[in-house]
Amino acid sequence: MCSVCFALWMTTSACWADDNVLQKARPPIELEKLEELARRIEPDLRGQVTRAKQYIEFFRQQLANDTRLFAFQVKAKVDADDRVRLDGYVEFPETRDALLGYLKTMSLSVDASNIRTLPSASLGATRLGFVKVPHRFSTSEPGRGETVTECLYAEPVYLLDEVDSHLLVHSQDGYLGFLPSSDVQRVTASEFEDYLSGPRANVQSDCRTESGLSLQAGTQLTWIEETDQTIFVALLDGSHVSLPKSRCQKAADRSETIEQVLRNALALQGTRYQWGGKTSDGIDCSGLVQTAFQSVGVYLPRDSNQQFLMGRLTATRWHTAGLRRGDTMYFIGAHGRIRHTGIYLGNDQYLEAVSPVAKITSLNPRDSNYDARRHASFVFAKRLF
């Protein structure tokens, strides 16, 4: 199969349910679990407004996902009437609702109306982008704070908010940080996917283009064509430039490796669900993913909330068009923590290990194997190749 046909075959058909439908499909929060958490910090469940900050920090540590990868910034202010008013943002409404329920189990009067869920509506239709400078450090605060990670030219970023002429973004490794707005070329979803589709070229050592643009080792660009000594790549402005093969190479075609992963995974379809299992005698969700990739020499951590750290971010709840065959998918529970994983098969289908047996489930509401509740809990996808 040619690379272009394979790329088209792998793409999602992007048949997604309406956001309001998905909102209703999310499972209700289990108050018993929130009460159990609250008793660990206030055994008698008698909350004290003066400890609201500590309660939020405890929740962040125990129930919020790694805040290097999930947006969570919530502060508390106590009014004269002892009402706790929350302000800030979270990335998913499940996290906000769980935090509110947790505080209420301690009989606190709480107002969470000022907690925003991201991405911000103010971003409009351009919630995606590319870094348009040779390299830039992202920071924990707009223009200041700790260095988070370094982003390279043409690196795809997923926008969440804009504050003081800085954009809060997920870089391609999933990390959260602020970049100057002027350093990001904001694009529509179709423009984003157009640049990322097709073969890629990897810059292997620092070099400059004919126009003087500095490209760092690790930069990835769109491959156009090549000769014996030269590779032609597309830059963000649409121009084509040539780079010597001594400094840039076409990325390897990993399609057969991906297909081997999927063959190994699909061989486990119908396997009995067993918590902690990794074999055809019984398997759980993260065991299925771990076993499928281990068969091609890729060793993943054991649990889904560890596996999520691996790979390149390719899709989010609000941008799913980047899903491709072999991407690992991650889902959160009602309390906002990653609780489940699966492997995307293409055409809106994914393989997951659930009770009673591992099965193929659809993201398309028109399919008979569609699971609205699971779909509503999807948050991110990552790519290992």
Side-chain angles (χ1 to χ4, degrees):
M1 181 181 294
C2 72
S3 59
V4 173
C5 294
F6 183 78
L8 291 174
W9 177 53
M10 289 199 299
T11 57
T12 174
S13 59
C15 288
W16 309 104
D18 180 81
D19 286 343
N20 292 328
V21 174
L22 294 180
Q23 181 73 30
K24 294 177 181 178
R26 290 176 190 133
I29 290 177
E30 300 173 18
L31 293 178
E32 299 82 9
K33 291 185 178 180
L34 294 179
E35 181 178 309
E36 179 183 338
L37 177 67
R39 286 189 183 279
R40 291 167 57 188
I41 193 168
E42 288 290 3
D44 59 5
L45 294 182
R46 295 179 182 176
Q48 304 173 49
V49 294
T50 56
R51 299 190 65 197
K53 180 178 179 181
Q54 290 95 318
Y55 297 152
I56 293 172
E57 176 60 19
F58 185 71
F59 175 91
R60 186 193 68 78
Q61 293 175 356
Q62 300 298 318
L63 273 188
N65 292 282
D66 190 329
T67 51
R68 294 172 299 179
L69 300 151
F70 280 71
F72 181 96
Q73 187 177 94
V74 178
K75 297 180 180 180
K77 180 180 179 181
V78 180
D79 287 350
D81 59 357
D82 284 345
R83 186 173 178 81
V84 179
R85 298 192 182 274
L86 304 179
D87 186 36
Y89 56 75
V90 294
E91 195 157 353
F92 300 103
E94 291 93 330
T95 305
R96 177 200 60 208
D97 296 344
L99 174 61
L100 180 60
Y102 154 76
L103 293 173
K104 285 186 173 181
T105 63
M106 291 183 279
S107 300
L108 295 173
S109 176
V110 184
D111 179 2
S113 60
N114 285 332
I115 296 182
R116 297 180 298 122
T117 56
L118 302 180
S120 172
S122 63
L123 293 172
T126 53
R127 296 184 295 181
L128 300 157
F130 296 98
V131 177
K132 63 180 183 180
V133 295
H135 56 106
R136 178 70 68 201
F137 285 107
S138 62
T139 55
S140 60
E141 300 291 337
R144 60 186 185 278
E146 296 180 358
T147 295
V148 176
T149 189
E150 190 167 16
C151 302
L152 304 181
Y153 176 80
E155 179 170 331
V157 290
Y158 298 76
L159 282 53
L160 293 176
D161 202 7
E162 187 165 24
V163 181
D164 298 334
S165 298
H166 284 74
L167 289 163
L168 176 63
V169 307
H170 281 291
S171 55
Q172 68 176 358
D173 52 17
Y175 269 56
L176 282 162
F178 285 93
L179 292 171
S181 302
S182 57
D183 288 350
V184 177
Q185 181 171 316
R186 293 174 63 173
V187 296
T188 63
S190 60
E191 292 169 334
F192 188 76
E193 292 305 321
D194 283 347
Y195 186 78
L196 292 176
S197 64
R200 312 294 289 162
N202 297 322
V203 176
Q204 297 185 319
S205 59
D206 295 356
C207 59
R208 287 182 178 275
T209 66
E210 299 95 322
S211 62
L213 174 65
S214 177
L215 299 174
Q216 312 299 312
T219 300
Q220 192 172 74
L221 305 164
T222 298
W223 177 92
I224 303 299
E225 60 180 350
E226 61 185 88
T227 65
D228 289 342
Q229 301 296 324
T230 304
I231 284 185
F232 293 87
V233 296
L235 301 181
L236 293 175
D237 61 7
S239 63
H240 295 180
V241 299
S242 62
L243 298 174
K245 279 190 172 180
S246 60
R247 294 182 179 273
C248 183
Q249 291 290 316
K250 183 179 180 181
D253 181 2
R254 304 301 296 272
S255 57
E256 179 50 40
T257 304
I258 293 169
E259 291 308 302
Q260 183 61 53
V261 169
L262 295 181
R263 284 193 291 270
N264 296 330
L266 287 167
L268 293 165
Q269 183 181 353
T271 298
R272 177 180 62 90
Y273 181 83
Q274 173 63 56
W275 177 268
K278 295 172 58 177
T279 72
S280 57
D281 289 335
I283 201 159
D284 66 9
C285 66
S286 56
L288 172 65
V289 173
Q290 187 185 48
T291 298
F293 280 92
Q294 187 170 319
S295 64
V296 296
V298 177
Y299 297 90
L300 297 176
R302 180 61 181 87
D303 295 329
S304 58
N305 60 2
Q306 300 169 317
Q307 292 174 356
F308 169 73
L309 299 172
M310 308 293 288
R312 175 170 69 86
L313 186 64
T314 58
T316 66
R317 176 177 286 182
W318 43 271
H319 178 73
T320 54
L323 278 167
R324 298 292 184 271
R325 283 174 65 83
D327 284 357
T328 53
M329 302 175 66
Y330 298 92
F331 305 82
I332 55 177
H335 299 138
R337 284 186 68 85
I338 288 179
R339 295 288 299 277
H340 187 62
T341 184
I343 302 178
Y344 189 65
L345 304 175
N347 296 320
D348 300 329
Q349 310 296 309
Y350 60 98
L351 180 68
E352 60 174 346
V354 293
S355 181
V357 297
K359 64 176 184 175
I360 294 176
T361 307
S362 178
L363 293 165
N364 188 336
R366 296 195 293 268
D367 291 341
S368 61
N369 60 336
Y370 176 66
D371 186 332
R373 179 167 289 189
R374 185 74 76 204
H375 186 180
S377 68
F378 171 73
V379 285
F380 292 117
K382 301 292 278 295
R383 186 168 303 151
L384 299 174
F385 299 112

